[in-house]
Amino acid sequence: MAIIHDDVGRRRFLSQAVMGFGMVFGMGALGLRFLQFLLPNGAPRQPETVLIGSESRIPLGEAVPMDLGGQKILVLRTDEGVAAFSRRCTDLGCLVSWNRERGQFICPCHQGTFDKTGLNVSGPPPRPLDRLDIVKRGDQLYVNVKSA
Amino acid sequence: MAVETVKTENSDVGTGKTWVDYIQKDLPEHLEWWPYTLGAIPLTLFGILVTTGLLLTFYYVPASDQAYESVDRITHEIYLGWFVRGLHKTSVDLMILFLLFHVIRVFMTRAYQSGGELKWVSGSIVLFVTLAMGFTGYSLVYDNVSYWGMTVVTNMVGTLPIIGRPLLHLLRGGEEVSGVTLLRLYDLHTKLLPVLLGGLALGHVVTVRLLGFTTVPGSREYHQFYPEHTMKMGAVAVGLLLFMVDLVMIFPPVLGPPANLQEVASDVSPPWYFSAPFMWISLLPGPMALWSLMAGAGLFVLYPFVDRVLAERGWPMTFINGAVAATAVGAMVVLMYLDLQG
């Protein structure tokens, strides 16, 4: 137990304070470096244009799932044209699937639904599906993705 | 069953007793009544979990391309592998179930009152760490349900403000769920969390012995801790083990289809102890669900202090606790039922 009325004195107090501060600083720096060791240092994703094939391959009213370097997308062809969406549900990251009968994207995890423009219609998703740009050169379709 | 409000007996903090004094100390006679033994059952189950878990680590491989196969081998090829895995799984289910019973008993008798707050707070942390063990454990199986469960839960952590994103990266070891994630959850499940849980459980038991058991009006101290109470605990432990052997043989562990990164499992329902919060997340829009769950958890930990404030204003806490417990259990059952239907 600490002795009450202990006359520490200025010199002793300052010496202890400086040492204490140094200890805390040193240990803190070490702890921060260890945390950095655990945190991933992922390289920033580079935008890239990927050829996904000819438009005629995709049946009308169907959405074809694709995996472009780990990025999972759905390419949907409707009367209005072709659109590409990220399959990652904006709620908690499950993969959405296209339901032809309902004309909607459906996430099986918490029943989130999106319409054919990717807009969140019902369920927990807070925002629309991420949309990817499609470039058309002749009949060939290219998608702009960010790959690792 | 009339639940009487109880008080904590005089604290032993700072009386200079040795551990022999505690072993020889008599207990209040109400500890003979079985609801007051509910805390020892999870402790026994923790022992079984450590034993079977150690056995499982000899065969389990925490790599994304081998994890599922190794669990498959444990379940179908290795001698008594299905039994060891089944015992491990059943122990978790029963541990959480009996922890909940124990919580309900403490809550209904308001045993956290006047000096017992630390017992409640330490115990509630034990409960949360046990749930974390449950989550990391079922992720290791790496079948389709556990893979997508991992994705959903880590994403949920990522939606927390400020600390969410760094914590998500810390858990996943990258942007996506990968082999690194599996290794991290494996390390949490087999190293960090068990040591933490063991320490916390020990701390909880020591806290209860130091701060004293609850006293019930009319309950005299004559029940011996040793050998009487320890004998009884031993009998409960042996009976429990026999019951579990039966359970495992009747319901051997199963294994779903392997993780499919291209297709979400058709039914992503988590184990029963997470199905109520799972359904809650499905029903409430966006961040509301997570916020309400966290507020609920915070209120749970700090309940003794809420109780004290309300009791000082003359609220009938015994009645209120009964109503709260009934509502909470009822809500859990309804949510679990909805999950089964959906």
PDB file of all heavy atoms in Angstrom, chain B residues 305-325:
ATOM      1  N   PHE B 305     -26.915  -1.877 -12.261  1.00  0.00           N
ATOM      2  CA  PHE B 305     -26.923  -0.445 -11.930  1.00  0.00           C
ATOM      3  C   PHE B 305     -28.263   0.174 -12.305  1.00  0.00           C
ATOM      4  O   PHE B 305     -28.767   1.040 -11.604  1.00  0.00           O
ATOM      5  CB  PHE B 305     -25.757   0.235 -12.649  1.00  0.00           C
ATOM      6  CG  PHE B 305     -24.439  -0.441 -12.365  1.00  0.00           C
ATOM      7  CD1 PHE B 305     -23.881  -1.322 -13.276  1.00  0.00           C
ATOM      8  CD2 PHE B 305     -23.798  -0.243 -11.150  1.00  0.00           C
ATOM      9  CE1 PHE B 305     -22.682  -1.971 -12.999  1.00  0.00           C
ATOM     10  CE2 PHE B 305     -22.603  -0.888 -10.862  1.00  0.00           C
ATOM     11  CZ  PHE B 305     -22.045  -1.754 -11.784  1.00  0.00           C
ATOM     12  N   VAL B 306     -28.853  -0.291 -13.401  1.00  0.00           N
ATOM     13  CA  VAL B 306     -30.194   0.163 -13.783  1.00  0.00           C
ATOM     14  C   VAL B 306     -31.182  -0.231 -12.692  1.00  0.00           C
ATOM     15  O   VAL B 306     -32.011   0.570 -12.247  1.00  0.00           O
ATOM     16  CB  VAL B 306     -30.614  -0.467 -15.128  1.00  0.00           C
ATOM     17  CG1 VAL B 306     -32.045  -0.082 -15.483  1.00  0.00           C
ATOM     18  CG2 VAL B 306     -29.659  -0.051 -16.237  1.00  0.00           C
ATOM     19  N   ASP B 307     -31.036  -1.503 -12.245  1.00  0.00           N
ATOM     20  CA  ASP B 307     -31.906  -2.028 -11.184  1.00  0.00           C
ATOM     21  C   ASP B 307     -31.819  -1.140  -9.947  1.00  0.00           C
ATOM     22  O   ASP B 307     -32.842  -0.760  -9.374  1.00  0.00           O
ATOM     23  CB  ASP B 307     -31.470  -3.466 -10.853  1.00  0.00           C
ATOM     24  CG  ASP B 307     -32.245  -4.047  -9.686  1.00  0.00           C
ATOM     25  OD1 ASP B 307     -32.144  -3.487  -8.572  1.00  0.00           O
ATOM     26  OD2 ASP B 307     -32.949  -5.065  -9.887  1.00  0.00           O
ATOM     27  N   ARG B 308     -30.578  -0.767  -9.554  1.00  0.00           N
ATOM     28  CA  ARG B 308     -30.395   0.003  -8.328  1.00  0.00           C
ATOM     29  C   ARG B 308     -31.101   1.366  -8.434  1.00  0.00           C
ATOM     30  O   ARG B 308     -31.814   1.782  -7.516  1.00  0.00           O
ATOM     31  CB  ARG B 308     -28.907   0.210  -8.052  1.00  0.00           C
ATOM     32  CG  ARG B 308     -28.660   0.743  -6.649  1.00  0.00           C
ATOM     33  CD  ARG B 308     -27.272   1.284  -6.502  1.00  0.00           C
ATOM     34  NE  ARG B 308     -26.265   0.231  -6.586  1.00  0.00           N
ATOM     35  CZ  ARG B 308     -24.965   0.486  -6.687  1.00  0.00           C
ATOM     36  NH1 ARG B 308     -24.541   1.723  -6.719  1.00  0.00           N
ATOM     37  NH2 ARG B 308     -24.101  -0.498  -6.754  1.00  0.00           N
ATOM     38  N   VAL B 309     -30.895   2.020  -9.591  1.00  0.00           N
ATOM     39  CA  VAL B 309     -31.512   3.341  -9.788  1.00  0.00           C
ATOM     40  C   VAL B 309     -33.034   3.229  -9.717  1.00  0.00           C
ATOM     41  O   VAL B 309     -33.701   4.025  -9.030  1.00  0.00           O
ATOM     42  CB  VAL B 309     -31.074   3.929 -11.148  1.00  0.00           C
ATOM     43  CG1 VAL B 309     -31.895   5.167 -11.482  1.00  0.00           C
ATOM     44  CG2 VAL B 309     -29.590   4.249 -11.124  1.00  0.00           C
ATOM     45  N   LEU B 310     -33.594   2.228 -10.403  1.00  0.00           N
ATOM     46  CA  LEU B 310     -35.050   2.085 -10.430  1.00  0.00           C
ATOM     47  C   LEU B 310     -35.592   1.686  -9.074  1.00  0.00           C
ATOM     48  O   LEU B 310     -36.633   2.183  -8.631  1.00  0.00           O
ATOM     49  CB  LEU B 310     -35.456   1.054 -11.484  1.00  0.00           C
ATOM     50  CG  LEU B 310     -35.188   1.440 -12.938  1.00  0.00           C
ATOM     51  CD1 LEU B 310     -35.673   0.348 -13.878  1.00  0.00           C
ATOM     52  CD2 LEU B 310     -35.841   2.768 -13.288  1.00  0.00           C
ATOM     53  N   ALA B 311     -34.865   0.779  -8.374  1.00  0.00           N
ATOM     54  CA  ALA B 311     -35.339   0.317  -7.063  1.00  0.00           C
ATOM     55  C   ALA B 311     -35.365   1.464  -6.065  1.00  0.00           C
ATOM     56  O   ALA B 311     -36.255   1.540  -5.220  1.00  0.00           O
ATOM     57  CB  ALA B 311     -34.440  -0.820  -6.559  1.00  0.00           C
ATOM     58  N   GLU B 312     -34.371   2.379  -6.177  1.00  0.00           N
ATOM     59  CA  GLU B 312     -34.338   3.524  -5.261  1.00  0.00           C
ATOM     60  C   GLU B 312     -35.567   4.421  -5.446  1.00  0.00           C
ATOM     61  O   GLU B 312     -35.964   5.146  -4.542  1.00  0.00           O
ATOM     62  CB  GLU B 312     -33.065   4.348  -5.498  1.00  0.00           C
ATOM     63  CG  GLU B 312     -31.884   3.825  -4.711  1.00  0.00           C
ATOM     64  CD  GLU B 312     -30.563   4.416  -5.184  1.00  0.00           C
ATOM     65  OE1 GLU B 312     -30.594   5.347  -6.019  1.00  0.00           O
ATOM     66  OE2 GLU B 312     -29.519   3.941  -4.719  1.00  0.00           O
ATOM     67  N   ARG B 313     -36.132   4.397  -6.647  1.00  0.00           N
ATOM     68  CA  ARG B 313     -37.327   5.200  -6.893  1.00  0.00           C
ATOM     69  C   ARG B 313     -38.603   4.432  -6.625  1.00  0.00           C
ATOM     70  O   ARG B 313     -39.686   4.835  -7.032  1.00  0.00           O
ATOM     71  CB  ARG B 313     -37.309   5.690  -8.342  1.00  0.00           C
ATOM     72  CG  ARG B 313     -36.227   6.719  -8.494  1.00  0.00           C
ATOM     73  CD  ARG B 313     -35.969   7.124  -9.878  1.00  0.00           C
ATOM     74  NE  ARG B 313     -34.704   7.877  -9.880  1.00  0.00           N
ATOM     75  CZ  ARG B 313     -34.285   8.625 -10.872  1.00  0.00           C
ATOM     76  NH1 ARG B 313     -35.017   8.719 -11.959  1.00  0.00           N
ATOM     77  NH2 ARG B 313     -33.151   9.254 -10.805  1.00  0.00           N
ATOM     78  N   GLY B 314     -38.451   3.277  -5.983  1.00  0.00           N
ATOM     79  CA  GLY B 314     -39.604   2.519  -5.545  1.00  0.00           C
ATOM     80  C   GLY B 314     -40.283   1.679  -6.608  1.00  0.00           C
ATOM     81  O   GLY B 314     -41.458   1.334  -6.475  1.00  0.00           O
ATOM     82  N   TRP B 315     -39.558   1.348  -7.689  1.00  0.00           N
ATOM     83  CA  TRP B 315     -40.162   0.485  -8.707  1.00  0.00           C
ATOM     84  C   TRP B 315     -40.187  -0.963  -8.199  1.00  0.00           C
ATOM     85  O   TRP B 315     -39.241  -1.389  -7.543  1.00  0.00           O
ATOM     86  CB  TRP B 315     -39.363   0.539 -10.009  1.00  0.00           C
ATOM     87  CG  TRP B 315     -39.442   1.862 -10.720  1.00  0.00           C
ATOM     88  CD1 TRP B 315     -39.327   3.099 -10.162  1.00  0.00           C
ATOM     89  CD2 TRP B 315     -39.635   2.080 -12.114  1.00  0.00           C
ATOM     90  NE1 TRP B 315     -39.438   4.067 -11.121  1.00  0.00           N
ATOM     91  CE2 TRP B 315     -39.627   3.477 -12.329  1.00  0.00           C
ATOM     92  CE3 TRP B 315     -39.804   1.222 -13.211  1.00  0.00           C
ATOM     93  CZ2 TRP B 315     -39.796   4.034 -13.588  1.00  0.00           C
ATOM     94  CZ3 TRP B 315     -39.957   1.786 -14.459  1.00  0.00           C
ATOM     95  CH2 TRP B 315     -39.966   3.182 -14.645  1.00  0.00           C
ATOM     96  N   PRO B 316     -41.236  -1.705  -8.499  1.00  0.00           N
ATOM     97  CA  PRO B 316     -41.300  -3.112  -8.058  1.00  0.00           C
ATOM     98  C   PRO B 316     -40.413  -3.998  -8.938  1.00  0.00           C
ATOM     99  O   PRO B 316     -40.867  -4.608  -9.902  1.00  0.00           O
ATOM    100  CB  PRO B 316     -42.783  -3.463  -8.231  1.00  0.00           C
ATOM    101  CG  PRO B 316     -43.257  -2.556  -9.323  1.00  0.00           C
ATOM    102  CD  PRO B 316     -42.410  -1.322  -9.290  1.00  0.00           C
ATOM    103  N   MET B 317     -39.117  -4.082  -8.592  1.00  0.00           N
ATOM    104  CA  MET B 317     -38.155  -4.720  -9.490  1.00  0.00           C
ATOM    105  C   MET B 317     -38.357  -6.223  -9.645  1.00  0.00           C
ATOM    106  O   MET B 317     -38.065  -6.780 -10.703  1.00  0.00           O
ATOM    107  CB  MET B 317     -36.716  -4.437  -9.028  1.00  0.00           C
ATOM    108  CG  MET B 317     -36.277  -3.003  -9.246  1.00  0.00           C
ATOM    109  SD  MET B 317     -36.702  -2.337 -10.877  1.00  0.00           S
ATOM    110  CE  MET B 317     -35.619  -3.281 -11.925  1.00  0.00           C
ATOM    111  N   THR B 318     -38.809  -6.896  -8.588  1.00  0.00           N
ATOM    112  CA  THR B 318     -39.013  -8.340  -8.711  1.00  0.00           C
ATOM    113  C   THR B 318     -40.043  -8.628  -9.806  1.00  0.00           C
ATOM    114  O   THR B 318     -39.838  -9.496 -10.658  1.00  0.00           O
ATOM    115  CB  THR B 318     -39.505  -8.929  -7.373  1.00  0.00           C
ATOM    116  OG1 THR B 318     -38.625  -8.486  -6.352  1.00  0.00           O
ATOM    117  CG2 THR B 318     -39.499 -10.444  -7.411  1.00  0.00           C
ATOM    118  N   PHE B 319     -41.116  -7.835  -9.786  1.00  0.00           N
ATOM    119  CA  PHE B 319     -42.155  -7.988 -10.805  1.00  0.00           C
ATOM    120  C   PHE B 319     -41.616  -7.602 -12.187  1.00  0.00           C
ATOM    121  O   PHE B 319     -41.810  -8.314 -13.172  1.00  0.00           O
ATOM    122  CB  PHE B 319     -43.370  -7.132 -10.441  1.00  0.00           C
ATOM    123  CG  PHE B 319     -44.405  -7.082 -11.524  1.00  0.00           C
ATOM    124  CD1 PHE B 319     -45.233  -8.183 -11.757  1.00  0.00           C
ATOM    125  CD2 PHE B 319     -44.549  -5.953 -12.320  1.00  0.00           C
ATOM    126  CE1 PHE B 319     -46.174  -8.147 -12.764  1.00  0.00           C
ATOM    127  CE2 PHE B 319     -45.485  -5.908 -13.340  1.00  0.00           C
ATOM    128  CZ  PHE B 319     -46.296  -7.007 -13.564  1.00  0.00           C
ATOM    129  N   ILE B 320     -40.893  -6.467 -12.239  1.00  0.00           N
ATOM    130  CA  ILE B 320     -40.371  -5.985 -13.524  1.00  0.00           C
ATOM    131  C   ILE B 320     -39.413  -7.004 -14.131  1.00  0.00           C
ATOM    132  O   ILE B 320     -39.485  -7.317 -15.325  1.00  0.00           O
ATOM    133  CB  ILE B 320     -39.673  -4.616 -13.344  1.00  0.00           C
ATOM    134  CG1 ILE B 320     -40.736  -3.546 -13.065  1.00  0.00           C
ATOM    135  CG2 ILE B 320     -38.851  -4.237 -14.577  1.00  0.00           C
ATOM    136  CD1 ILE B 320     -40.187  -2.190 -12.757  1.00  0.00           C
ATOM    137  N   ASN B 321     -38.498  -7.558 -13.286  1.00  0.00           N
ATOM    138  CA  ASN B 321     -37.556  -8.552 -13.796  1.00  0.00           C
ATOM    139  C   ASN B 321     -38.271  -9.771 -14.353  1.00  0.00           C
ATOM    140  O   ASN B 321     -37.870 -10.317 -15.380  1.00  0.00           O
ATOM    141  CB  ASN B 321     -36.581  -8.975 -12.698  1.00  0.00           C
ATOM    142  CG  ASN B 321     -35.422  -8.023 -12.577  1.00  0.00           C
ATOM    143  OD1 ASN B 321     -35.481  -6.918 -13.098  1.00  0.00           O
ATOM    144  ND2 ASN B 321     -34.381  -8.438 -11.905  1.00  0.00           N
ATOM    145  N   GLY B 322     -39.316 -10.186 -13.651  1.00  0.00           N
ATOM    146  CA  GLY B 322     -40.099 -11.321 -14.145  1.00  0.00           C
ATOM    147  C   GLY B 322     -40.665 -11.022 -15.521  1.00  0.00           C
ATOM    148  O   GLY B 322     -40.554 -11.834 -16.447  1.00  0.00           O
ATOM    149  N   ALA B 323     -41.236  -9.814 -15.663  1.00  0.00           N
ATOM    150  CA  ALA B 323     -41.832  -9.429 -16.939  1.00  0.00           C
ATOM    151  C   ALA B 323     -40.770  -9.326 -18.024  1.00  0.00           C
ATOM    152  O   ALA B 323     -40.955  -9.805 -19.149  1.00  0.00           O
ATOM    153  CB  ALA B 323     -42.562  -8.092 -16.784  1.00  0.00           C
ATOM    154  N   VAL B 324     -39.608  -8.713 -17.679  1.00  0.00           N
ATOM    155  CA  VAL B 324     -38.525  -8.556 -18.660  1.00  0.00           C
ATOM    156  C   VAL B 324     -38.022  -9.921 -19.123  1.00  0.00           C
ATOM    157  O   VAL B 324     -37.856 -10.175 -20.324  1.00  0.00           O
ATOM    158  CB  VAL B 324     -37.361  -7.727 -18.066  1.00  0.00           C
ATOM    159  CG1 VAL B 324     -36.131  -7.787 -18.966  1.00  0.00           C
ATOM    160  CG2 VAL B 324     -37.783  -6.282 -17.882  1.00  0.00           C
ATOM    161  N   ALA B 325     -37.791 -10.827 -18.156  1.00  0.00           N
ATOM    162  CA  ALA B 325     -37.286 -12.161 -18.500  1.00  0.00           C
ATOM    163  C   ALA B 325     -38.282 -12.890 -19.387  1.00  0.00           C
ATOM    164  O   ALA B 325     -37.909 -13.495 -20.401  1.00  0.00           O
ATOM    165  CB  ALA B 325     -37.006 -12.968 -17.241  1.00  0.00           C
TER     166      ALA B 325
END
